[in-house]
Amino acid sequence: MSVALLEHPEPWSEEEFFGLGETSNRIELIDGSLWVSPSPGKRHQHLAFLLARGLYAPAEQAGLLVLQDVSLRLATGRIVQPDVVVADTDEIGTTVEAAEATLVIEVVSPRNAGTDRLLKPQLYAAAGIGWYLRVEQPADSVELHLQRLAGDRYVPVTVAVPGHELASGEPFPFVLEVASLLGRRRA
């Protein structure tokens, strides 16, 4: 796993975590420990942007806000930064509360695959976030894995691949054309 745990003489508090300010790395607070990973690659960032852009209008129609790289408080001492969060929140402040989050999106990258496929869904489920969208990037392609919370874990709802669209009525009505996420290709 590429996420590194920083040493600290005692567990980090939320106050200390927020005291770090903005950094070039993605820093998350998990049960008093800081988890640091490098900034995502260009393709990863572009996919997150395209997803946020594609969800913006339908989320707005549902009264929701689409945010990228925002701090999401899952519980006291658990603050993560998903790639995209759709939430019933306002634009004030720096943190979205788990109760406000409707859909969380993680773009899986090779450096953090285990975290995005295993740890983060467990944390999101424990926080009661109803929907999780995992974006896989196999060999110059994209797969969208939409999952909903069932009890204490996520269960698959649908998988969409290029040539198809991801259409859902929940957690709000939206359609994402998977081919549109492939981005531009250089000649």
Side-chain angles (χ1 to χ4, degrees):
M1 184 183 299
S2 68
V3 177
L5 184 62
L6 293 183
E7 291 190 27
H8 189 269
E10 56 189 324
W12 286 78
S13 68
E14 285 190 17
E15 183 178 326
E16 291 170 316
F17 170 76
F18 285 117
L20 293 170
E22 292 186 27
T23 67
S24 60
N25 289 319
R26 184 173 287 197
I27 301 178
E28 299 173 302
L29 178 65
I30 308 290
D31 299 333
S33 297
L34 292 186
W35 290 77
V36 181
S37 57
S39 295
K42 292 185 284 185
R43 182 170 189 236
H44 183 120
Q45 290 179 11
H46 192 223
L47 274 170
F49 168 77
L50 292 172
L51 286 160
R53 185 176 72 179
L55 292 171
Y56 183 82
E60 185 178 48
Q61 288 177 353
L64 304 169
L65 190 61
V66 178
L67 300 163
Q68 287 186 259
D69 298 318
V70 69
S71 292
L72 174 62
R73 180 181 288 115
L74 301 176
T76 301
R78 283 188 180 172
I79 301 172
V80 296
Q81 288 187 334
D83 292 306
V84 180
V85 176
V86 180
D88 185 6
T89 190
D90 57 30
E91 295 176 346
I92 308 301
T94 60
T95 306
V96 172
E97 300 297 329
E100 298 172 314
T102 302
L103 170 67
V104 176
I105 301 171
E106 291 289 355
V107 178
V108 176
S109 61
R111 295 185 301 223
N112 293 330
T115 301
D116 293 339
R117 289 184 186 131
L118 301 171
L119 177 63
K120 291 250 184 120
Q122 290 174 8
L123 295 174
Y124 297 148
I129 298 172
W131 292 84
Y132 178 64
L133 178 61
R134 189 181 78 241
V135 182
E136 296 284 348
Q137 304 181 64
D140 294 328
S141 189
V142 176
E143 296 175 358
L144 304 179
H145 297 254
L146 184 62
Q147 303 172 8
R148 69 172 171 74
L149 187 62
D152 63 351
R153 64 184 181 87
Y154 289 104
V155 296
V157 172
T158 190
V159 176
V161 297
H164 295 89
E165 60 186 22
L166 176 61
S168 183
E170 294 185 70
F172 56 94
F174 69 88
V175 176
L176 290 171
E177 179 59 48
V178 180
S180 71
L181 302 174
L182 293 175
R184 65 185 181 108
R185 299 282 186 247
R186 288 195 170 260

